[in-house]
Amino acid sequence: MSESYTTSTAFLESLHEAGVSYIFSNLGSDHPGIIESLAIARKQNKQLPEVITCPHEMVALSAAHSYAQVTGEPQAVIVHVECGTQNLGGAIHNAYKGRIPVLVFAGASPYTQEGELTGSRNEFIHWIQDVPDQRGIVRGYMKYDNEIRTGKNVKQHVHRALQIANSQPKGPVYLMGPREVMEEKAVPVTISREMWQPIAPKALPPQEAGQIISDLSKAEKPVIVTSYLGKNQSSVEELVKLSNNFAIPVIESVPNYMNFPSDHPMHCGYQWNTPEQNELLGEADLVLVFDSDVPWIPTTNKPAADSTVYYFDEDPVKQNMPLWYIPSKRFYEVDSYTALKQLNETINTAPLHEEIVRSRKEKITAYHQIQREEWKEAEKYNQDIITPEYLTACIREMIDDNTLVINEGISNFDTIYKHLQRNKAGSIIGSGGGSLGWSGGAALGAKLADKSKKIVSLTGDGSYMFSVPSTVHWMSRKYELPFLTVIYNNRGWKSPKLSTLGVHPQGTAYDTDQFWVDFDPHADLAQIAEAAGGAFACTVKRPDDLIPALEKAWKAIEEGRSAVLDVQLPTWRRTEKELELAGVQEKQDMGR
């Protein structure tokens, strides 16, 4: 039997040459060439990326997503024609919005039907799965898409795709190839990875750094806002330097990384959808925004009209957000690490008003301490119910600096950041997007990327079900990737309630408690993981049972077994304070 060199062989080789370690795959009738090439490589002891079988595409792309977040290296996802492409679902949105480099490859239905070429149609599904524009399914969420038409330049296509994926702003790319092309005999081609490097990071124009530092040295109430600067861990150190030199408070707005140490006296909290004005932001005379899509929500929270705003981002005009604007003195299309280094190197050229800086440091330190005391008060033990704040504080006491937290808490995003208080760069990540179900696959990808770390996934009950836990925990056992999942179980979708009440705080939905988001009857969520992957499963309803359950779960993952704690939070009703704040918008609308 001949073992020929085909387009599929060259494709797999190019992934290996480009530094791809894993292929998260969901194979189908379009992949005989790839399967054959993989089998030949195994027989020959030829090194290629390892195949990770993923029974659901959402999990596959979510795992590749977090792997890239942890390592900085893009991985590959292989899916089945247009059906598998669509089944990637919201994971495509998350990778695109989160600026995650990943290569997605899908086969395509054969384009011959009478045996003209190897791979010609021989199954009824090949007619049904033939669609006019398969690439169009994901084009709005990809930095680049193309079709492989011959094996003669397949390696160039792969390296170009990954070059684009790795260039700022990073993002997913999509290639497809019909069966006949992937079965085509090819001639080996040598490609040098060094010739296909991503575009170099962009810097500030030299004259601009001095002007920014000059304005900063004159400001009385400067503020820094960031959301995803921590994607580059080195940027955190540079941000700390800038903050220290000028005593600038830092606010994290909808963060999906650890952007600034929570215990630093200049850290002044997190902001999400809370319908109230942030005091420091409202008083600021100068605002520096680093890496943030939504630094504030202008209907309820924004800087003063006469404040000066500087915007630093890989994509400062958000070209793919049809409605987006933050009026600013200057917008800089830069790599934030590079820009921060420039600013820190320029500081010595501007006179510092030491008395202003000293006074500001004292004031902001006091603000920080009062804020932390308020957070601590909210963590108090309650003998009747498990509050999200108490739950998060208990988790904080259990984990350490070698723990990576996967955060998909949704309505408890704010609570998780406030009460975990992460201080080490790279110690917490979120998807960066808005499609639920990322956390399960993300936990697998993060553990695969660094097996020395403990992985803790914090998720709501809705996002847990979206994550396809049966697939996730089957994979966890098969590939020996243990992690702990803690479900913040509201027994329903809390976020749509919050959204409805944000517009109609005292409307009929509130009066009748009808939101159509309750999960009744309630599923035994932890048992799904036990049945699918042998996970340690426990439902916690009483506060006294929480810490013992966490200890057992922690021991399970140390012994190589995943664990799921389904923690029952109290049924939710909006507080009077929240109603009062949300009612501001309704009153404004009624007055128009």
Side-chain angles (χ1 to χ4, degrees):
M1 179 183 67
S2 63
E3 295 177 347
S4 60
Y5 187 95
T6 65
T7 303
S8 294
T9 310
F11 171 75
L12 294 167
E13 281 184 355
S14 63
L15 293 177
H16 173 65
E17 293 163 359
V20 172
S21 301
Y22 295 97
I23 297 171
F24 299 91
S25 70
N26 193 297
L27 300 170
S29 61
D30 46 334
H31 299 128
I34 286 177
I35 293 171
E36 183 67 9
S37 293
L38 287 168
I40 292 170
R42 172 166 290 190
K43 178 181 176 182
Q44 297 175 346
N45 276 332
K46 179 179 179 179
Q47 191 170 3
L48 289 177
E50 182 180 345
V51 175
I52 303 294
T53 301
C54 304
H56 197 285
E57 294 84 349
M58 175 76 181
V59 179
L61 184 48
S62 297
H65 179 141
S66 66
Y67 190 101
Q69 286 179 287
V70 173
T71 65
E73 294 290 335
Q75 302 304 296
V77 174
I78 294 182
V79 298
H80 176 47
V81 294
E82 103 293 4
C83 293
T85 299
Q86 292 183 90
N87 223 30
L88 289 165
I92 298 174
H93 160 96
N94 290 336
Y96 185 63
K97 296 298 183 180
R99 299 170 180 83
I100 303 300
V102 61
L103 187 148
V104 179
F105 173 80
S109 283
Y111 55 80
T112 59
Q113 69 174 38
E114 297 183 29
E116 301 95 328
L117 296 169
T118 304
S120 187
R121 294 185 182 186
N122 63 351
E123 301 176 38
F124 82 93
I125 204 70
H126 294 152
W127 280 265
I128 295 171
Q129 292 175 338
D130 189 8
V131 296
D133 187 10
Q134 180 174 313
R135 288 154 57 191
I137 297 169
V138 296
R139 188 169 294 124
Y141 297 91
M142 294 289 165
K143 283 192 69 181
Y144 168 81
D145 67 272
N146 207 343
E147 179 177 341
I148 297 169
R149 296 180 175 89
T150 174
K152 291 181 171 57
N153 65 355
V154 63
K155 287 194 174 185
Q156 290 90 331
H157 274 298
V158 170
H159 283 272
R160 169 172 163 75
L162 285 169
Q163 180 186 45
I164 292 171
N166 268 321
S167 295
Q168 296 180 345
K170 298 180 180 182
V173 294
Y174 183 84
L175 293 176
M176 58 175 278
R179 280 213 317 188
E180 296 94 332
V181 171
M182 301 309 291
E183 295 282 356
E184 174 189 313
K185 290 185 179 181
V187 176
V189 173
T190 300
I191 293 288
S192 172
R193 185 184 182 187
E194 287 70 30
M195 303 300 290
W196 298 84
Q197 294 300 303
I199 304 303
K202 295 181 181 179
L204 288 168
Q207 66 276 14
E208 295 292 317
Q211 180 60 54
I212 296 165
I213 292 298
S214 176
D215 283 359
L216 192 53
S217 67
K218 299 171 186 174
E220 294 185 4
K221 296 181 177 181
V223 167
I224 293 171
V225 181
T226 185
S227 300
Y228 47 85
L229 175 140
K231 66 185 185 299
N232 180 348
Q233 296 183 24
S234 298
S235 299
V236 177
E237 182 180 349
E238 293 298 325
L239 185 61
V240 169
K241 287 180 184 178
L242 183 64
S243 174
N244 283 341
N245 274 297
F246 289 97
I248 312 173
V250 176
I251 300 168
E252 295 190 64
S253 180
V254 200
N256 54 301
Y257 292 90
M258 200 296 295
N259 300 298
F260 195 80
S262 183
D263 63 355
H264 192 287
M266 293 299 105
H267 192 293
C268 291
Y270 310 91
Q271 57 186 27
W272 303 85
N273 295 330
T274 307
E276 59 184 331
Q277 177 66 54
N278 183 289
E279 176 187 351
L280 296 178
L281 185 61
E283 295 177 349
D285 55 358
L286 178 68
V287 183
L288 304 182
V289 180
F290 290 97
D291 288 343
S292 180
D293 291 330
V294 187
W296 48 78
I297 297 177
T299 53
T300 54
N301 178 33
K302 60 184 176 181
D306 59 351
S307 65
T308 298
V309 178
Y310 282 106
Y311 215 97
F312 308 82
D313 197 277
E314 299 165 349
D315 177 21
V317 294
K318 314 299 176 188
Q319 298 179 57
N320 291 305
M321 293 186 188
L323 176 61
W324 188 95
Y325 51 86
I326 300 289
S328 303
K329 179 177 180 179
R330 293 298 298 271
F331 295 89
Y332 299 105
E333 186 177 349
V334 292
D335 169 67
S336 285
Y337 171 72
T338 304
L340 280 164
K341 280 190 69 70
Q342 289 178 277
L343 293 174
N344 285 326
E345 290 166 359
T346 308
I347 285 175
N348 294 333
T349 66
L352 293 179
H353 299 282
E354 294 184 4
E355 180 59 29
I356 292 176
V357 171
R358 183 192 62 77
S359 175
R360 186 163 61 228
K361 183 176 181 180
E362 290 178 357
K363 178 183 176 183
I364 300 304
T365 299
Y367 181 98
H368 168 92
Q369 291 172 343
I370 292 171
Q371 189 179 65
R372 268 47 183 187
E373 288 169 4
E374 292 173 351
W375 294 357
K376 187 70 174 176
E377 183 69 19
E379 296 174 1
K380 282 187 174 180
Y381 169 84
N382 184 314
Q383 65 180 3
D384 299 319
I385 59 171
I386 303 173
T387 66
E389 293 82 5
Y390 175 70
L391 169 58
T392 309
C394 290
I395 295 169
R396 182 187 68 225
E397 296 305 309
M398 180 184 67
I399 63 179
D400 55 25
D401 282 347
N402 196 45
T403 303
L404 172 58
V405 176
I406 307 294
N407 181 15
E408 197 175 28
I410 311 305
S411 56
N412 284 302
F413 263 138
D414 191 25
T415 298
I416 288 169
Y417 266 91
K418 281 181 179 178
H419 299 281
L420 278 186
Q421 300 175 20
R422 303 301 276 162
N423 300 310
K424 182 179 178 182
S427 62
I428 184 169
I429 57 175
S431 74
S435 186
L436 305 189
W438 166 81
S439 56
L444 295 171
K447 185 66 175 179
L448 191 64
D450 189 346
K451 293 185 178 181
S452 70
K453 287 190 178 296
K454 297 287 195 307
I455 307 298
V456 175
S457 173
L458 307 182
T459 178
D461 46 321
S463 49
Y464 175 80
M465 287 191 280
F466 275 131
S467 74
V468 200
S470 56
T471 287
V472 167
H473 286 279
W474 176 85
M475 291 175 62
S476 171
R477 179 160 59 179
K478 176 177 175 62
Y479 295 105
E480 298 180 349
L481 302 171
F483 64 96
L484 168 62
T485 298
V486 180
I487 304 171
Y488 286 60
N489 194 340
N490 302 306
R491 270 95 69 207
W493 284 312
K494 181 178 176 181
S495 293
K497 289 185 178 181
L498 293 171
S499 297
T500 301
L501 293 170
V503 180
H504 306 287
Q506 298 183 50
T508 304
Y510 175 77
D511 288 339
T512 62
D513 196 27
Q514 290 294 323
F515 295 90
W516 290 273
V517 292
D518 295 326
F519 297 157
D520 187 17
H522 304 136
D524 192 338
L525 301 181
Q527 291 297 321
I528 298 172
E530 182 178 38
F536 169 80
C538 182
T539 299
V540 184
K541 298 180 179 180
R542 298 174 60 254
D544 289 345
D545 296 334
L546 178 58
I547 292 176
L550 282 168
E551 291 172 347
K552 290 178 182 177
W554 195 253
K555 183 179 180 181
I557 65 169
E558 287 182 331
E559 294 173 349
R561 181 186 181 195
S562 277
V564 176
L565 295 187
D566 180 4
V567 182
Q568 308 281 296
L569 302 179
T571 54
W572 177 82
R573 292 290 289 183
R574 193 145 194 185
T575 66
E576 290 301 318
K577 175 64 175 174
E578 289 172 316
L579 279 171
E580 177 187 336
L581 293 170
V584 172
Q585 180 64 51
E586 185 173 69
K587 289 174 184 176
Q588 290 174 345
D589 292 341
M590 291 173 64
R592 292 192 179 106

